[in-house]
Amino acid sequence: MVLLLSSIAALWAAGAIASPLQARADPKTYEAEDAVLSGTVVEKTVAGFTGTGYVGGFDTGTDRITFTISSDAAQLYDLSIRVAAVYGEKRTTVILNGGSSSEVYFAASQTWNSVSGGQLLLNKGSNKVEIVNNWGWYLIDSITLTPSGSRPAANINTALVNPAADADAKALYAYLRSIYGKKILSGQQELSYANWIGQQTGKIPAVVSVDLIEYSPSRVAYGSVGKSVEEAIEHHKRGGIISFLWHWNAPTGLYDTEENRWWSGFYTRATDFDIAATLSAGPSNANYTLMLRDIDAIAVQLKRLQAAGVPILWRPLHEAEGGWFWWGAKGAEPAKKLWNLLYDRLTNHHKLNNLIWVWNSIAPEWYPGDSTVDILSADIYQQGNGPMSVQYNQLVELGRDKKMIAAAEVGAAPLPGLLQAYQTNWLWFAVWGDTFINNQEWNSIETLKNIYTSDYVLTLDEIQGWRG
Ligand SMILES: *[C@@H]1O[C@H](CO)[C@@H](O)[C@H](O)[C@H]1NC(C)=O
């Protein structure tokens, strides 16, 4: 979780990554200058445009281009936007039929480029596609819609990255592979909220995600007492699947000021602990020793779970690429180095063989590599219970479709009909706890009932016996 929703928005950027869906023929192009303009103007100065001009003048929040697009059938399309971001990198917002919106990133460019705008599920008949200001100051030449082809079959790795993975981890991984692309596992952050969902919908989530935060030594020093290991074992005993993350309170260097108290010590803003300097200084450095002390403290808890036969979807160093947590604050290189150190320490030194390693950033430059990652994931805080197809497609690219993909934290649980229409085969989703699951604006009770009773969504009662 992060509290800066505006920063998370940066992760929503569609990027210039092509859709992995194999597009069929008959793309259709719509010239921007022929659409309905509101606050925007037709221009002709930058050469190379198609049609009779392009549209600029995105300088206030409501400025937009509105395309009317008719579709013969309810159908998924790949959207491509021909753009020139001549004033530097920009973002636009694409809104479909006045409802679902997505953000699309434009890299700086002096020439015209076609950029993927993700996918749009058009209704049969007339549809409205709007390109709305957002960062503004970019030029739009046209948009092209191509009916999406069906997603090629994934080619998921058969083995876990740890060759010594234990029978529990292997059984869980085999089960996950068996359902991937066919169903989605429901999931929830915090056991108490999982049980609350049970009361609301009659169905308990299959996956419960909990946090090792309170076992961080710099919190224990202030009197924190963790209980998530017991909660995990409780859910495990009733046949559930467990995921762990770790809001790692920095080993040292907590400000503990009025604005940034000690319990915020996983945030970059709350500590001057420098992961780049610590890793460069190496094992003789006092802070390096403290970093290992923390990993070893966490290993004690993970070993309790291993002893209890609990395999773990293990998602440390989450949201590294956001930079708002200290492990991502110094850029990609130290974060990757720390991931590999953590993998080595827990796997080879502590002999933890019940862990399935879940990476949680999208950007390729942050990826630690295939040899220490089992599953890819993203944290997405977007209202509307949508399929999050932009991020899913980016993760397919990142793992070359060899790694399963999870929506490890979401603000809004995805609607199964949209997941199937967009072919976004998330392995599981887990809604964050307070202010998201219990918030009508993010997840209405009606929506939760719809999701939790869907055939496409696996709940605790439906995964019994997953060990085979
Ligand atoms: C360890 O980290 C603290 C807090 O960031 C810093 O003030 C200190 O100089 C570091 N010590 C060493 C030996 O690097």
Side-chain angles (χ1 to χ4, degrees):
M1 177 203 64
V2 307
L3 300 177
L4 297 166
L5 291 182
S6 59
S7 309
I8 300 172
L11 293 180
W12 299 350
I17 295 171
S19 163
L21 296 186
Q22 288 167 348
R24 288 211 313 262
D26 52 292
K28 238 178 145 174
T29 295
Y30 303 82
E31 291 294 336
E33 65 274 18
D34 299 336
V36 174
L37 307 186
S38 168
T40 47
V41 290
V42 177
E43 298 172 356
K44 300 178 184 224
T45 321
V46 176
F49 55 82
T50 59
T52 58
Y54 58 86
V55 173
F58 287 91
D59 53 15
T60 55
T62 54
D63 290 353
R64 69 190 62 210
I65 307 174
T66 304
F67 296 89
T68 300
I69 290 166
S70 105
S71 180
D72 296 341
Q75 154 85 44
L76 189 65
Y77 289 84
D78 290 357
L79 169 68
S80 164
I81 304 174
R82 193 157 193 267
V83 59
V86 295
Y87 303 108
E89 61 169 353
K90 299 292 174 195
R91 293 174 197 282
T92 190
T93 301
V94 178
I95 302 178
L96 173 61
N97 291 327
S100 68
S101 72
S102 57
E103 192 171 80
V104 179
Y105 171 78
F106 299 146
S109 169
Q110 293 306 308
T111 55
W112 296 101
N113 286 308
S114 289
V115 169
S116 168
Q119 290 166 282
L120 297 174
L121 182 61
L122 299 192
N123 298 325
K124 182 177 161 74
S126 178
N127 294 269
K128 199 167 80 170
V129 175
E130 293 170 288
I131 306 275
V132 185
N133 186 61
N134 202 328
W135 289 15
W137 298 104
Y138 45 77
L139 312 175
I140 304 288
D141 187 29
S142 64
I143 64 171
T144 298
L145 289 168
T146 310
S148 301
S150 55
R151 189 179 290 285
N155 182 26
I156 303 301
N157 291 332
T158 51
L160 290 164
V161 289
N162 173 10
D166 67 16
D168 295 319
K170 282 181 180 165
L172 176 55
Y173 188 68
Y175 174 70
L176 297 175
R177 286 189 70 233
S178 77
I179 60 161
Y180 187 62
K182 303 186 183 100
K183 303 270 183 179
I184 189 169
L185 292 161
S186 56
Q188 178 57 40
Q189 183 66 35
E190 303 310 334
L191 183 65
S192 56
Y193 280 116
N195 292 340
W196 177 83
I197 289 171
Q199 289 157 14
Q200 302 301 320
T201 69
K203 296 276 196 174
I204 292 171
V207 176
V208 167
S209 170
V210 283
D211 199 334
L212 286 171
I213 181 169
E214 303 303 351
Y215 302 97
S216 303
S218 70
R219 296 174 90 90
V220 172
Y222 281 95
S224 286
V225 180
K227 56 181 172 53
S228 56
V229 169
E230 282 75 15
E231 291 172 343
I233 292 173
E234 192 179 326
H235 186 62
H236 165 77
K237 281 189 175 156
R238 62 186 185 185
I241 295 171
I242 300 303
S243 177
F244 265 94
L245 80 158
W246 180 21
H247 279 94
W248 183 351
N249 227 60
T252 185
L254 306 183
Y255 297 146
D256 195 23
T257 57
E258 203 56 52
E259 311 80 62
N260 292 302
R261 300 305 301 274
W262 59 268
W263 62 78
S264 309
F266 47 87
Y267 279 117
T268 300
R269 61 171 163 78
T271 175
D272 64 2
F273 182 73
D274 184 334
I275 186 57
T278 302
L279 289 169
S280 315
S284 63
N285 175 274
N287 288 343
Y288 196 100
T289 309
L290 289 174
M291 181 183 70
L292 291 187
R293 171 206 65 183
D294 284 13
I295 297 172
D296 295 348
I298 285 319
V300 170
Q301 302 308 323
L302 296 172
K303 280 178 192 170
R304 292 173 63 202
L305 292 151
Q306 181 165 258
V310 183
I312 298 167
L313 299 167
W314 171 231
R315 184 171 63 97
L317 309 188
H318 70 295
E319 299 174 17
E321 68 186 337
W324 42 74
F325 300 138
W326 59 262
W327 50 88
K330 302 292 171 180
E333 290 315 313
K336 288 190 275 193
K337 208 166 159 189
L338 180 59
W339 173 272
N340 286 323
L341 184 148
L342 192 60
Y343 178 86
D344 180 59
R345 186 93 184 162
L346 294 181
T347 309
N348 300 321
H349 180 77
H350 287 295
K351 310 273 183 254
L352 278 158
N353 296 323
N354 60 331
L355 307 179
I356 294 179
W357 288 78
V358 182
W359 178 242
N360 189 231
S361 293
I362 296 177
E365 60 273 27
W366 287 78
Y367 185 49
D370 286 346
S371 60
T372 53
V373 173
D374 292 306
I375 291 176
L376 301 174
S377 67
D379 292 358
I380 303 163
Y381 286 81
Q382 221 164 348
Q383 284 187 356
N385 307 98
M388 306 170 286
S389 71
V390 168
Q391 295 87 346
Y392 184 84
N393 288 338
Q394 289 173 329
L395 289 170
V396 170
E397 289 279 316
L398 180 65
R400 299 175 321 286
D401 227 355
K402 290 179 187 305
K403 310 278 182 187
M404 292 184 280
I405 296 167
E409 281 179 34
V410 297
L415 287 164
L418 291 174
L419 292 173
Q420 290 168 281
Y422 280 80
Q423 303 168 56
T424 41
N425 298 330
W426 300 103
L427 177 58
W428 80 84
F429 70 84
V431 180
W432 194 255
D434 215 17
T435 75
F436 291 99
I437 189 61
N438 52 349
N439 181 335
Q440 289 285 319
E441 283 183 29
W442 286 84
N443 300 285
S444 74
I445 301 295
E446 250 35 69
T447 301
L448 288 176
K449 281 184 182 159
N450 173 349
I451 292 170
Y452 271 84
T453 56
S454 162
D455 283 346
Y456 185 72
V457 178
L458 293 171
T459 49
L460 181 63
D461 54 313
E462 292 164 328
I463 65 159
Q464 294 300 311
W466 60 262
R467 270 154 203 279

